[in-house]
Amino acid sequence: MTRPAGEAELRPVIVTVDDDPSVSRAISRDLRRRYGERHRIVRAESGEQALDALRQMKLRGDQVAVILADYRMPGLSGIEFLERAMDVYPFARRVLLTAYADTNAAIDAINVVDLDHYLLKPWDPPEEKLYPVIDDLLLDWKKQERRPVNEAKLVGHRWSAPSAELRDFLARNQVPYRWYASDTDEGRRLLDAAGTDGTHLPVLITADGEPLIAPTNAEVAAKVNLATVPKENFYDLVVVGGGPAGLGAAVYGASEGLRTVLVERFATGGQAGQSSRIENYLGFPDGLSGGQLTDRARRQAVKFGAELLTTAQVDSLEVNGPAKTVRLSDGTQIDAKAVILATGVAYRQLTAPGCTEMTGAGVYYGAALTEAEGCKDQDVYVVGGANSAGQSAVYLSKFASSVTMLVRAPSLEASMSYYLIQQIAGIPNISVRTCTEVTEVNGDGHLESLTLRDMAAGTTEIVNAGQLFIFIGAAPGTGWLDGVLARDDHGFVLAGPDFSLDDTGWPLDRPPYHLETSVPGVFVAGDVRAESAKRVASAVGEGAMAVMFVHRYLETLS
């Protein structure tokens, strides 16, 4: 599906997918008749074929305005195709073509894939049943003023921690890029054009052709137009952390009229944003990826007027009477009336010998979805027994020859949701080894094998391993709050009834609100809170609830 010679490159695309050739030709004909002069019409006869076309158009920087897909198709159904198409073109308008008998399925799809419309077949006459719908969708799409997307080029080493981190940073911040290994012909050509011999990697060539040699995340963020500094000096609300709890707080804070800024050190979404599939989130019966959830939440927050800062590392929190001061590592100071701490948690480090040396070279913490395609035909290991580990194992099983889950506990039941346990049991290339731990990580420049210990039998064995993904509990990373507010012995922030008013010197006559910390006007939400539920839905709920208590607190100041 290449662009015909001489065709105008800036014409937005309308994509249609139907496995029935006659129907495919008919809708393509009707669309060309009305829109052919101003839009390029691309038709496909399978979901996979259409996805390939969308990916090619993405690489070329084409704009896709509307995607129409038949509901009943072999292989990928219309709903499954549209859901995957959202990851490539999230702003394209989505239409499901369906027979009358499938109307209920089309209505259900509205929540699953943010369906914009469904059309009953046949649509004759198109002047009454097709064109008015497409006209409205095109008008709505044009209001978004989406420009053609130019991709950056990233050149790095396959087994390099800095290269892996930058790939993850770009992907999780929705920055289009194309990866080139430094030892390939094209990679070497790009390095030569950038004026470097590849000694210092990775090298990012921005969409406008500027080379960045071994850049920091902050340098990259500034070049790809991610906001890194606040627009104002004073806000009603500062949200620290961009996971589900932080995004929930930003959406509700901004939508309710609070001047809101969210400060995130790496990428919005947190651990949930790395999840390949979240299937127990209310309202999405077929599940959605963490990236999809994060992208929608981020767009919601921005739509309501919240500022989102990336690569902004918070170093300290100061209390100056009713004002709160958040200081960033670059010296920036943000003052606000209230603060919500939603920093989440970070995966604990595996202490087995060799693990540190192999991090980024076959060993990864969290899902590291950018590495999934590199798992093809390999034996992959996942350490951990909670939902994040299980979701990663399910996703990686689509690429890897085998996926082995290594769990220290005697079973998964105590730490993993029942639906996920059942799903794992039904996937033939996933195996679960309980009472097992990694005692050594081995390899020459990259991961090659693991030494495993059977904790029950006391025996060890060496297994070949292509990649290792680690999910072994979490630490809150709240050291920067030392001496400021109350935390438990593990560093999780105490709130409401969980701390002693006498021990913390609570200064007010009223008791603290439910999510309020030992400092009035500073609230906590999500995984960083002591005794939190550690689930996406509860984190989002706590973010919204914290905003309600912020309003109560602000009323006491007036």
Side-chain angles (χ1 to χ4, degrees), residues 184-508:
T184 62
D185 290 342
E186 185 61 20
R188 284 188 286 265
R189 281 192 287 268
L190 289 170
L191 291 174
D192 184 61
T196 178
D197 60 2
T199 302
H200 301 289
L201 294 175
V203 172
L204 180 71
I205 302 170
T206 65
D208 58 6
E210 180 181 358
L212 303 176
I213 312 299
T216 65
N217 290 340
E219 290 170 338
V220 172
K223 291 297 183 180
V224 298
N225 297 321
L226 295 175
T228 58
V229 295
K231 296 179 181 178
E232 302 180 29
N233 293 324
F234 194 85
Y235 294 84
D236 295 318
L237 174 63
V238 174
V239 180
V240 183
L247 286 168
V251 167
Y252 280 89
S255 68
E256 294 173 10
L258 298 179
R259 290 172 298 168
T260 302
V261 60
L262 182 149
V263 181
E264 167 57 44
R265 67 178 182 83
F266 189 76
T268 51
Q271 289 185 5
Q274 296 176 279
S275 177
S276 57
R277 203 75 182 163
I278 302 171
E279 297 194 69
N280 58 350
Y281 192 73
L282 183 67
F284 294 88
D286 293 322
L288 77 169
S289 72
Q292 290 171 340
L293 179 63
T294 297
D295 180 59
R296 296 176 190 185
R298 181 171 49 223
R299 284 190 279 132
Q300 272 185 301
V302 171
K303 180 184 76 172
F304 287 124
E307 288 183 44
L308 271 59
L309 307 185
T310 306
T311 68
Q313 175 70 50
V314 177
D315 273 357
S316 66
L317 171 65
E318 299 174 6
V319 181
N320 305 304
K324 316 295 183 293
T325 299
V326 171
R327 294 191 183 277
L328 308 183
S329 58
D330 64 358
T332 301
Q333 172 180 315
I334 306 176
D335 295 315
K337 297 177 182 177
V339 174
I340 294 177
L341 303 174
T343 51
V345 291
Y347 290 113
R348 297 187 187 277
Q349 303 293 296
L350 186 67
T351 58
C355 189
T356 300
E357 293 80 0
M358 295 298 156
T359 298
V363 175
Y364 306 97
Y365 287 89
L369 300 183
T370 53
E371 302 297 330
E373 293 190 8
C375 295
K376 187 176 181 181
D377 300 327
Q378 295 193 41
D379 296 317
V380 172
Y381 288 79
V382 175
V383 179
N387 277 14
S388 295
Q391 290 162 349
S392 181
V394 170
Y395 182 72
L396 293 171
S397 69
K398 301 174 183 178
F399 304 89
S401 176
S402 70
V403 177
T404 304
M405 298 190 66
L406 306 175
V407 185
R408 289 174 56 88
S411 71
L412 294 173
E413 276 73 13
S415 56
M416 188 177 293
S417 296
Y418 176 77
Y419 84 89
L420 196 50
I421 295 174
Q422 298 299 109
Q423 190 174 355
I424 288 171
I427 300 176
N429 65 333
I430 298 181
S431 60
V432 180
R433 293 183 58 165
T434 57
C435 300
T436 303
E437 64 178 356
V438 177
T439 59
E440 191 170 359
V441 178
N442 314 293
D444 182 11
H446 64 88
L447 176 65
E448 295 175 345
S449 66
L450 301 171
T451 302
L452 307 181
R453 185 172 80 91
D454 186 315
M455 300 165 63
T459 58
T460 62
E461 66 172 312
I462 297 176
V463 297
N464 294 328
Q467 297 196 49
L468 175 68
F469 297 86
I470 302 170
F471 306 80
I472 52 171
T478 55
W480 59 281
L481 293 169
D482 281 348
V484 179
L485 48 75
R487 297 173 295 148
D488 68 12
D489 293 339
H490 302 287
F492 291 92
V493 177
L494 297 170
D498 295 330
F499 61 84
S500 167
L501 300 186
D502 293 334
D503 292 342
T504 59
W506 178 255
L508 303 182

Side-chain angles (χ1 to χ4, degrees), residues 53-107:
L54 288 173
R55 294 185 186 110
Q56 292 173 25
M57 288 185 277
K58 188 75 170 182
L59 292 177
R60 292 195 299 260
D62 292 341
Q63 299 182 87
V64 174
V66 179
I67 304 174
L68 304 94
D70 183 46
Y71 171 61
R72 291 186 179 274
M73 293 190 294
L76 281 180
S77 70
I79 293 175
E80 292 169 332
F81 160 72
L82 288 174
E83 186 177 18
R84 290 175 62 176
M86 284 175 64
D87 291 331
V88 186
Y89 280 99
F91 301 107
R93 297 303 180 253
R94 292 168 289 276
V95 180
L96 196 66
L97 303 175
T98 180
Y100 180 79
D102 297 321
T103 301
N104 288 337
I107 294 173

Side-chain angles (χ1 to χ4, degrees), residues 22 74 177 219 297:
S22 62
Y177 77 96
E219 290 170 338

Side-chain angles (χ1 to χ4, degrees), residues 156-170:
H157 193 278
R158 173 73 177 86
W159 304 115
S160 160
S163 296
E165 181 181 352
L166 187 49
R167 291 181 71 185
D168 193 37
F169 177 78
L170 293 171

